[in-house]
Amino acid sequence: MIRYTCDRCKRDIDPSTDLRYIVTVEIEAAGEADVTDLVDEVDHLEELQEMLQASDEICAAVFDDDLYQRKQFDLCKCCFQQYIRNPLARDTSAAMGYSKN
Ligand SMILES: [Zn+2]
């Protein structure tokens, strides 16, 4: 039997009794700049790369994450309901009327 775990609260999701919500987050860099221009900026990472003694692969992976990321999460019903109210994880304390005084 396939078991799922909520990626937010780590609760087991039993597919026979619980609804499982799949949240797919796709982030794509958008702009007027030519992507080849952006690639040239990788040169600026070389100093950092030497400092970290990182491989070219790690450097490229960091750069790719800047342009495109796709993530998928399993959520239980409870976490889905909380997620959908605040999908960008904004600080809601101000909206709730709390102050820092
Ligand atoms: Zn959950």
Side-chain angles (χ1 to χ4, degrees):
M1 180 179 137
I2 302 169
R3 293 199 67 89
Y4 298 100
T5 304
C6 173
D7 285 320
R8 188 168 177 272
C9 70
K10 305 303 178 192
R11 186 168 78 91
D12 283 344
I13 301 169
D14 181 349
S16 64
T17 59
D18 299 322
L19 282 174
R20 178 172 62 106
Y21 294 84
I22 302 170
V23 178
T24 304
V25 180
E26 193 170 22
I27 305 160
E28 206 173 330
E32 300 290 314
D34 191 326
V35 171
T36 54
D37 289 342
L38 292 172
V39 169
D40 287 340
E41 291 180 16
V42 173
D43 291 342
H44 301 306
L45 293 176
E46 279 181 0
E47 285 182 32
L48 182 66
Q49 183 183 347
E50 285 168 13
M51 281 169 59
L52 296 173
Q53 296 182 329
S55 71
D56 288 342
E57 286 80 6
I58 292 173
C59 185
V62 169
F63 178 64
D64 285 343
D65 281 355
D66 270 358
L67 287 185
Y68 181 83
Q69 287 196 49
R70 188 175 189 275
K71 296 178 184 298
Q72 200 166 70
F73 305 99
D74 290 328
L75 293 183
C76 68
K77 187 178 181 183
C78 179
C79 288
F80 161 74
Q81 288 174 341
Q82 292 181 46
Y83 170 79
I84 203 65
R85 276 187 228 141
N86 188 15
L88 295 181
R90 283 184 293 219
D91 182 2
T92 54
S93 62
M96 298 285 283
Y98 296 125
S99 76
K100 289 177 179 174
N101 293 333

